Amino acid sequence: MRTTAVAGAAFGAALLLRPREVIRAVGADPELPGLVVAARVLGARHVVQAVGLTVKPGLVSTPASLIDGLHATSMVALAAISPSYRRVALVSAGVAGALGAGSRPRP
């Protein structure tokens, strides 16, 4: 779970500090309405979630996994209905799915 927390924190920090560059890196247009703000909000969530997974993994792992699963689902839905946001939504869904799987509680 530590690897997941580090990956989530790094991705979140990149979204917070360099959202336009991250958006361009996935082949999307940072000038799409609301995209930079959404990237920063998502980045903040990833950083907070990573801190929680580091400090209280037993308490945070299940909610973190569920939140990432919901986020991935919502991004797949966005990709299905919005061609303009499709690429960035699918990348976001993939990252959320990977982080969600990595934060799942271990038996």
Side-chain angles (χ1 to χ4, degrees):
M1 203 170 310
R2 179 165 168 72
T3 302
T4 301
V6 170
F11 185 61
L15 288 172
L16 272 170
L17 301 172
R18 309 291 282 194
R20 285 178 171 73
E21 288 82 354
V22 174
I23 293 165
R24 277 190 206 97
V26 301
D29 181 2
E31 299 307 317
L32 286 169
L35 198 51
V36 170
V37 171
R40 284 195 167 127
V41 169
L42 180 59
R45 184 195 47 97
H46 279 301
V47 169
V48 168
Q49 189 168 306
V51 169
L53 284 170
T54 301
V55 175
K56 294 277 188 183
L59 180 65
V60 175
S61 61
T62 297
S65 184
L66 291 172
I67 289 166
D68 281 326
L70 289 171
H71 177 75
T73 302
S74 71
M75 291 296 97
V76 169
L78 177 62
I81 63 171
S82 179
S84 298
Y85 291 88
R86 184 164 294 141
R87 181 180 298 268
V88 72
L90 290 175
V91 170
S92 187
V95 170
L99 291 175
S103 62
R104 272 191 5 244
R106 308 291 185 254

